[in-house]
Amino acid sequence: MMFTVAIDGPAAAGKGTISRAVAARFGFAHLDTGALYRAVGVKGGDPVAAARSLSPEDLARDDLRTLEAGQAASKVAVIPEVRQALLEFQREFARREGGAVLDGRDIGTVICPAAEVKLFVTASPEVRAHRRWLEVGGDAAQVLAEVKERDERDMNRADAPLKPAADAVVIDTSTLSVEAAVAAACAEVAARLR
Ligand code: DC
């Protein structure tokens, strides 16, 4: 069976948590596509060459979740050749046997426009910055500024900007518990699987 769940949204909206929970619940494979861009961003050197030669070791680095890696990812993600180099891997992952969940910015719009389920997971910048701050610590105002800066860049780039697909179901997690957000996402998947 092939079944693709596309989960897009801005930084720290809860995509990762929801994606992992959906994948576990339905036995689907999960790909965090942000990790691909983070790995390219932290690799250094020419980002296009880095994207074309990405290895499993690059994806296993333990510094991919830092704020710096997020900013570096957002910067290399504006380069069309970088996006192009990562596209086929993501599409193949999406069509694997047994079902797949991909989370990112352009999964429902560009990578998998025919995905069986498309979710757009969002929350206010303040709520997202607070969650990121709980994860990484540091200066809260700085974390909020970085979240806003990354939103700005991700939403306004020319190639595959962050936006909900026309047929995406929006889940705003600003005032939802993790359990409620996961339940809403799982209900959408269950409805399409029937
Ligand atoms: O989801 P994340 O915070 O790990 O993503 C890091 C950056 O990578 C994000 O700011 C923009 C980029 N990205 C992208 O352009 N397209 C994706 N599908 C996933 C991430």
Side-chain angles (χ1 to χ4, degrees), residues 6 13 17 19 34 43 54 63-64 66 79 91 110 113-115 117 141 152 166-167 174 181 192:
T17 304
S19 302
K43 198 164 177 182
L54 216 53
D63 58 352
L64 296 185
T66 63
I79 305 168
R91 284 202 177 139
V110 175
V117 176
E152 183 68 23
D167 51 351
S174 301
R192 301 302 201 301

Side-chain angles (χ1 to χ4, degrees), residues 19-183:
S19 302
R20 283 188 296 275
V22 167
R25 159 85 184 271
F26 296 96
F28 297 164
H30 171 228
L31 179 65
D32 164 13
T33 67
L36 305 175
Y37 293 91
R38 286 170 182 265
V40 171
V42 298
K43 198 164 177 182
D46 172 22
V48 177
R52 289 182 181 150
S53 64
L54 216 53
S55 68
E57 293 77 54
D58 294 327
L59 293 170
R61 288 174 63 141
D62 60 8
D63 58 352
L64 296 185
R65 299 303 313 163
T66 63
L67 282 183
E68 293 73 26
Q71 287 290 356
S74 170
K75 286 177 188 160
V76 298
V78 306
I79 305 168
E81 291 81 4
V82 167
R83 308 199 69 82
Q84 184 61 37
L86 301 175
L87 188 133
E88 210 41 52
F89 175 74
Q90 295 175 81
R91 284 202 177 139
E92 270 173 30
F93 190 97
R95 301 319 286 169
R96 72 202 283 144
E97 193 53 43
V101 181
L102 286 82
D103 77 88
R105 300 291 185 291
D106 61 340
I107 309 303
T109 51
V110 175
I111 305 294
C112 306
E116 280 75 12
V117 176
K118 296 182 191 177
L119 304 177
F120 192 82
V121 177
T122 189
S124 73
E126 288 72 20
V127 167
R128 291 187 286 115
H130 182 66
R131 288 181 191 153
R132 199 31 65 86
W133 176 78
L134 289 175
E135 241 178 65
V136 298
D139 176 26
Q142 169 80 14
V143 175
L144 176 59
E146 295 211 12
V147 160
K148 287 185 172 169
E149 189 192 321
R150 202 132 72 84
D151 283 357
E152 183 68 23
R153 198 184 298 112
D154 293 348
M155 291 189 300
N156 294 308
R157 67 181 177 224
D159 190 13
L162 168 65
K163 62 168 185 214
D167 51 351
V169 173
V170 177
I171 299 178
D172 187 329
T173 67
S174 301
T175 60
L176 287 183
S177 66
V178 171
E179 293 72 26
V182 166

